Amino acid sequence: MDGHPSKAEILAALSLALDLVEGQPEGHAVRTCAIALKLADLIGFNEFERQDVYYAAILKDSGCSNNSVRIQKIFGGDEFISKRAVKTVDWTSPLASIRFAFEYTERGNGWGAKLRRMAANIGPPNAVMNQVTLARCTRGAMIARKLGFGETVAEAVHQLDEHWDGKGSPHGIKGRDLNPVGQLICLAQTAEVFAVTYGIPAAMEMVRERSGRWFDPELARAFLSLEEDTAFWNAFGAAHYRGIVPPGLRDAAAEADIDAICEAFAMIVDAKSSFTAEHSARVAGYAAGIGSQMGLGNDRMSLLTRAGLLHDIGKLAVSTAILEKPGKLDEAEFAAVQSHPMHSFVILQRIAGFDSIAEIASGHHERLDGKGYWQGLGADHLPLETRIMTVADVYDALSAKRPYREALPYEKCRAIMDADAGTAFDPECLEALWQSLESVPLAA
């Protein structure tokens, strides 16, 4: 590693990727965290409780990619638009949820397409959204546990959309039975969306109206006390992922923690599409196999593995409608896909010490002849680790099922890739891949 970021800082920086999945403006989770920590101070949380608030707020959307395919199939079109809009609607109201469904189902298409799509969904709009919320919250809680956090954080993530009156989702928990951190973050998240979308006065009015329904009245009063706190709202508007880390969470992350974060975000990325399950873990494994064959040392192997796990994090910015499209992509859709390595670079290079990981991860579609993307780099500008990553990624793409074709057998993958040795792929890296695959049994 080039530096020593804290676990809290790494997660805060990676939360910017989760903002992309939810269709929210960059910094949504960080700003939510700023509101949540302020509320925690106002109601007297101690240092350790504030730490739980921090991690739960930063990880609140860690299950969001798990429902991307489902939401896209429910509403059609670009799921980012539906996800962004649903946060401004009182979807617990049957009338509001029906209006939302009519507006956002097959948005931009005719009534026939809307009605056909709506008829294909089972149950009323709010019941359908409960199913989506259950998938998201269950997955998010699992991610929190994988990262080593306790049940307070995991339950807070799981109860993010539960409401004070018991009419929230997915289980209808109410009142004092609610996880207090989850209830706090529910208010903070909703207030952030309204403040950014409509302005601070609109956020205040929303909290007043939903006090006692969505939100604990005590929490609502604490939030409303901030109405004239100009200093807080100025800081809120400029909230930065490094600046919000509480003092007790600034120690350098252990190597095992960094590995766990990379593994967790690989799971988040791969859940974005039904065709990429475990893709990132396989790419990391193939890259490690190549690196081992080429005699790379422990530090370089660690970089390879982490870059492999995170190489597609930029795909969180690409609509599921594009990732799942069974036919040929049009020019705009292909441009969106080609942008994902750039997004990977932008996300990862913000983390102190992740410069090398960002370079390797974002280079997985570059070619030796300079005809790749996103930068069009040629052989002279492609380090060995990037060449390895390219080979590992393409092999997995060919050998796995995709929306537009079935998985290709090993012999076909090898023939295709060997034909591009020296132009797209480094011949030595290719040979190391074949050697590494031949040293272990091939999957049927």
Side-chain angles (χ1 to χ4, degrees), residues 43-108:
I43 63 175
F45 275 23
N46 64 36
E47 177 186 354
F48 298 106
E49 290 169 329
R50 291 181 78 256
Q51 291 177 8
D52 285 342
V53 167
Y54 174 86
Y55 282 123
I58 287 298
L59 291 171
K60 72 182 185 67
D61 291 325
S62 56
C64 57
S65 63
N66 201 49
N67 65 15
S68 292
V69 173
R70 176 72 170 150
I71 288 179
Q72 199 281 322
K73 288 181 177 178
I74 290 171
F75 294 106
D78 186 338
E79 86 279 5
F80 294 141
I81 297 174
S82 302
K83 282 192 167 196
R84 180 167 58 249
V86 78
K87 283 186 166 56
T88 64
V89 173
D90 185 355
W91 53 265
T92 62
S93 162
L95 181 59
S97 64
I98 290 171
R99 285 176 176 167
F100 179 87
F102 270 102
E103 182 175 356
Y104 288 95
T105 301
E106 291 291 350
R107 186 175 174 87

Side-chain angles (χ1 to χ4, degrees), residues 239-262:
H240 188 271
Y241 69 89
R242 289 192 179 114
I244 66 165
V245 177
L249 299 180
R250 294 176 183 172
D251 291 341
E255 295 296 317
D257 284 336
I258 297 174
D259 290 334
I261 290 170
C262 293

Side-chain angles (χ1 to χ4, degrees), residues 16 19-20 22-29 31 84 192 196-197:
L16 303 177
D19 298 338
L20 295 174
E22 286 295 270
Q24 293 296 322
E26 181 180 294
H28 163 67
R31 290 187 296 271
R84 180 167 58 249
E192 190 280 339
V196 170
T197 306

Side-chain angles (χ1 to χ4, degrees), residues 10 12-17 20 26-27 240-242 310-315 317 338-352 354-355 357-364 374-375:
I10 295 171
L14 292 177
S15 76
L16 303 177
L20 295 174
E26 181 180 294
H240 188 271
Y241 69 89
R242 289 192 179 114
L310 297 174
H311 76 285
D312 266 348
I313 196 167
K315 275 193 176 175
Q338 286 189 312
S339 73
H340 81 268
M342 179 269 291
H343 287 296
S344 293
F345 179 80
V346 169
I347 292 164
L348 296 173
Q349 61 87 31
R350 286 172 166 153
I351 305 171
F354 270 48
D355 290 349
I357 292 175
E359 179 184 12
I360 298 165
S362 67
H364 64 279
W374 58 293
Q375 297 184 88

Side-chain angles (χ1 to χ4, degrees), residues 194 199-211 215 223-224 227:
F194 272 75
I200 295 167
M204 293 293 167
E205 182 57 32
M206 178 275 300
V207 171
R208 284 191 189 94
E209 195 276 326
R210 298 185 189 183
S211 176
F215 312 127
F223 178 79
L224 293 171
E227 189 161 14

Side-chain angles (χ1 to χ4, degrees), residues 210-334:
R210 298 185 189 183
S211 176
R213 295 196 305 113
W214 280 42
F215 312 127
D216 176 348
E218 179 185 353
L219 275 179
R221 284 193 293 273
F223 178 79
L224 293 171
S225 74
L226 297 172
E227 189 161 14
E228 304 300 329
D229 192 337
T230 305
F232 171 75
W233 291 111
N234 287 341
F236 162 83
H240 188 271
Y241 69 89
R242 289 192 179 114
I244 66 165
V245 177
L249 299 180
R250 294 176 183 172
D251 291 341
E255 295 296 317
D257 284 336
I258 297 174
D259 290 334
I261 290 170
C262 293
E263 291 166 6
F265 271 80
M267 295 169 62
I268 293 168
V269 170
D270 292 344
K272 183 72 161 59
S273 168
S274 56
F275 292 92
T276 55
E278 299 184 350
H279 165 71
S280 298
R282 289 195 303 270
V283 169
Y286 293 139
I290 296 169
S292 179
Q293 288 289 331
M294 301 186 81
L296 270 60
N298 290 338
D299 288 347
R300 295 177 78 182
M301 289 289 286
S302 178
L303 276 177
L304 262 184
T305 301
R306 291 170 179 173
L309 291 168
L310 297 174
H311 76 285
D312 266 348
I313 196 167
K315 275 193 176 175
L316 295 177
V318 182
S319 169
T320 300
I322 296 174
L323 298 178
E324 297 276 302
K325 186 175 180 178
K328 184 178 180 181
L329 301 180
D330 63 29
E331 185 175 345
E333 291 167 339
F334 190 56

Side-chain angles (χ1 to χ4, degrees), residues 42-189:
L42 291 173
I43 63 175
F45 275 23
N46 64 36
E47 177 186 354
F48 298 106
E49 290 169 329
R50 291 181 78 256
Q51 291 177 8
D52 285 342
V53 167
Y54 174 86
Y55 282 123
I58 287 298
L59 291 171
K60 72 182 185 67
D61 291 325
S62 56
C64 57
S65 63
N66 201 49
N67 65 15
S68 292
V69 173
R70 176 72 170 150
I71 288 179
Q72 199 281 322
K73 288 181 177 178
I74 290 171
F75 294 106
D78 186 338
E79 86 279 5
F80 294 141
I81 297 174
S82 302
K83 282 192 167 196
R84 180 167 58 249
V86 78
K87 283 186 166 56
T88 64
V89 173
D90 185 355
W91 53 265
T92 62
S93 162
L95 181 59
S97 64
I98 290 171
R99 285 176 176 167
F100 179 87
F102 270 102
E103 182 175 356
Y104 288 95
T105 301
E106 291 291 350
R107 186 175 174 87
N109 292 323
W111 281 102
K114 284 180 179 288
L115 293 174
R116 284 192 298 272
R117 176 77 67 169
M118 291 178 71
N121 297 325
I122 300 173
N126 57 342
V128 173
M129 289 306 295
N130 281 348
Q131 298 171 18
V132 170
T133 302
L134 177 61
R136 164 193 161 162
C137 292
T138 301
R139 179 76 165 194
M142 182 272 288
I143 294 290
R145 293 184 182 101
K146 178 176 176 59
L147 289 169
F149 298 113
E151 284 306 296
T152 297
V153 173
E155 287 183 4
V157 173
H158 193 268
Q159 295 183 20
L160 177 66
D161 292 303
E162 300 285 1
H163 298 161
W164 186 253
D165 62 4
K167 295 181 181 179
S169 184
H171 299 300
I173 304 169
K174 63 186 291 186
R176 298 300 174 191
D177 291 331
L178 288 164
N179 177 295
V181 175
Q183 175 69 178
L184 190 154
I185 294 168
C186 175
L187 189 156
Q189 167 185 263

